[in-house]
Amino acid sequence: MSTPTTDQHISVRELTMAYGSFVIQRDLSFDVRRGDIFVIMGGSGCGKSTLLKHMLGLLAPAAGDILYDGSSFVGASAQARDAIRRTWGISYQTGGMFSAMTLAENVALPLQLYTPYSSSEIADIVAYKLALVGLAGYQEYYPSEISGGMNKRAALARAIALDPEILFFDEPSAGLDPISSRLLDDLIVELQQSTGATVVMVTHELASIFAIATNSVYLDAASRTMIDHGDPRYLRDHSEQAVVRQFLNRSNGAEAKTEPPRGSGNE
């Protein structure tokens, strides 16, 4: 397994996830480097989304710790956890937009809750964030009035409303056609490059993994632990674990295999 070459933004240490006596994953230890587009990957039922929930503090670990900038999140006070959470932006698999609110109202909500900005300042920020994701002029639309891909982009606008240091995604391309999925991948890369945010995402889409990921961890359902981590393009061809190579060489990823990571200058 590779050793991080840049500073560690998130560190998972000896993490065990369990529901009662049933262990989902054990002894997870890996680092997410600052500025990574980090993918949590593995087969169905291996615990990918469960790991994301632990990283977000939605579930408590059975053992181990998660550190942000070297500070324990698991052992932090409620006030310290809230301070750490303020540095995050989260986009859920379904988008999570409030259906009774316009796109502008959805994006404005975190600004209204957590900043001292005036209504006019918030309106300007909302317009800017929607423009960043290609939705300029859609402020007064409701989620039901736009496409699935546009809803995903609107959810991303809300996630970046507070200029987060870390962006979390749960299956961002779920339910999208290949073209919309590719456009969303491009948008995630563009936003990461323009903001410098660290990105953590759960996905099983090989096209997305090879197109944008700079780092990854592979969770194995059979052994209930991580069995490799690193750049998925390297793991695809050189992992010592056959199951990892098989996962990353599935036929539906054949096209993506030839593609260098977007925004990377070292491949």
Side-chain angles (χ1 to χ4, degrees), residues 135-154:
L135 292 174
Y138 281 84
Q139 286 93 321
E140 300 309 313
Y141 281 70
Y142 287 87
S144 62
E145 297 176 323
I146 59 177
S147 69
M150 294 169 77
N151 263 295
K152 296 273 189 177
R153 285 187 276 146

Side-chain angles (χ1 to χ4, degrees), residues 6-231:
T6 57
D7 61 322
Q8 300 160 359
H9 204 169
I10 309 170
S11 298
V12 174
R13 292 289 177 264
E14 300 299 326
L15 185 73
T16 293
M17 309 184 300
Y19 291 116
S21 61
F22 180 76
V23 173
I24 301 166
Q25 288 283 321
R26 61 169 63 88
D27 302 327
L28 305 182
S29 291
F30 59 87
D31 296 302
V32 180
R33 302 168 301 209
R34 192 173 303 277
D36 262 341
I37 298 180
F38 188 96
V39 170
I40 300 168
M41 60 185 185
S44 297
C46 68
K48 299 185 295 295
S49 291
T50 302
L51 173 55
L52 187 66
K53 290 175 182 177
H54 278 75
M55 295 175 76
L56 294 173
L58 299 176
L59 294 174
D65 203 357
I66 301 168
L67 300 93
Y68 289 90
D69 285 322
S71 298
S72 172
F73 183 73
V74 174
S77 65
Q79 184 176 9
R81 282 190 172 205
D82 284 344
I84 294 171
R85 287 191 178 104
R86 297 283 178 88
T87 68
W88 302 346
I90 305 169
S91 182
Y92 298 99
Q93 181 173 336
T94 59
M97 302 292 283
F98 293 106
S99 60
M101 300 170 68
T102 65
L103 301 192
E105 290 168 340
N106 269 281
V107 178
L109 188 58
L111 294 161
Q112 293 166 343
L113 291 174
Y114 301 116
T115 74
Y117 298 136
S118 66
S119 296
S120 60
E121 288 171 328
I122 289 176
D124 288 342
I125 294 170
V126 167
Y128 174 65
K129 300 298 183 181
L130 286 171
L132 280 180
V133 301
L135 292 174
Y138 281 84
Q139 286 93 321
E140 300 309 313
Y141 281 70
Y142 287 87
S144 62
E145 297 176 323
I146 59 177
S147 69
M150 294 169 77
N151 263 295
K152 296 273 189 177
R153 285 187 276 146
L156 181 51
R158 185 176 62 186
I160 63 172
L162 296 175
D163 298 320
E165 296 178 16
I166 305 173
L167 279 167
F168 292 97
F169 295 93
D170 186 7
E171 297 283 5
S173 301
L176 297 183
D177 62 84
I179 294 176
S180 296
S181 179
R182 177 71 177 253
L183 291 173
L184 186 62
D185 287 341
D186 289 338
L187 180 58
I188 291 171
V189 171
E190 290 168 9
L191 289 172
Q192 189 284 321
Q193 291 177 337
S194 64
T195 65
T198 299
V199 175
V200 178
M201 59 191 291
V202 169
T203 185
H204 66 279
E205 300 285 350
L206 287 187
S208 292
I209 291 171
F210 291 129
I212 70 175
T214 61
N215 200 358
S216 67
V217 64
Y218 186 91
L219 306 184
D220 182 54
S223 60
R224 298 184 187 177
T225 192
M226 57 182 284
I227 58 174
D228 216 341
H229 76 274
D231 187 314

